[in-house]
Amino acid sequence: MTEKVAQHTHCQICGKTIPISETLCSDECKQKYQSMVKKRKMLVYIMYALIFVIIIMFLLSGRT
Ligand SMILES: [Zn+2]
């Protein structure tokens, strides 16, 4: 059977062991996490924009 270990999880930024009720270990990591989420959102928007441009170009090249 599994060993009796206190329920815990790891900080998503630095990997430090933290209580299961937490997601991040400190305010510093929270700030880093928030900027990471923002960057990720930006990447998603850029990807959508690129897909849009590719579709437009595809449609335009098909017409000529
Ligand atoms: Zn951390």
Side-chain angles (χ1 to χ4, degrees):
M1 285 297 281
T2 45
E3 277 179 59
K4 212 175 184 183
V5 182
Q7 286 246 306
H8 73 275
T9 183
H10 296 278
C11 173
Q12 291 192 22
I13 297 298
C14 67
K16 211 169 137 183
T17 307
I18 45 167
I20 201 129
S21 55
E22 306 281 329
T23 14
L24 301 157
C25 68
S26 64
D27 286 339
E28 203 191 317
C29 281
K30 272 175 196 165
Q31 276 168 7
K32 277 185 194 172
Y33 182 75
Q34 232 120 62
S35 66
M36 200 181 78
V37 167
K38 271 184 196 166
K39 270 184 200 166
R40 218 178 256 184
K41 270 188 186 171
M42 272 289 282
L43 271 174
V44 169
Y45 287 138
I46 289 166
M47 231 173 66
Y48 278 132
L50 275 174
I51 290 165
F52 186 72
V53 166
I54 288 164
I55 289 168
I56 294 290
M57 272 163 71
F58 184 74
L59 287 174
L60 286 176
S61 68
R63 275 188 183 174
T64 46

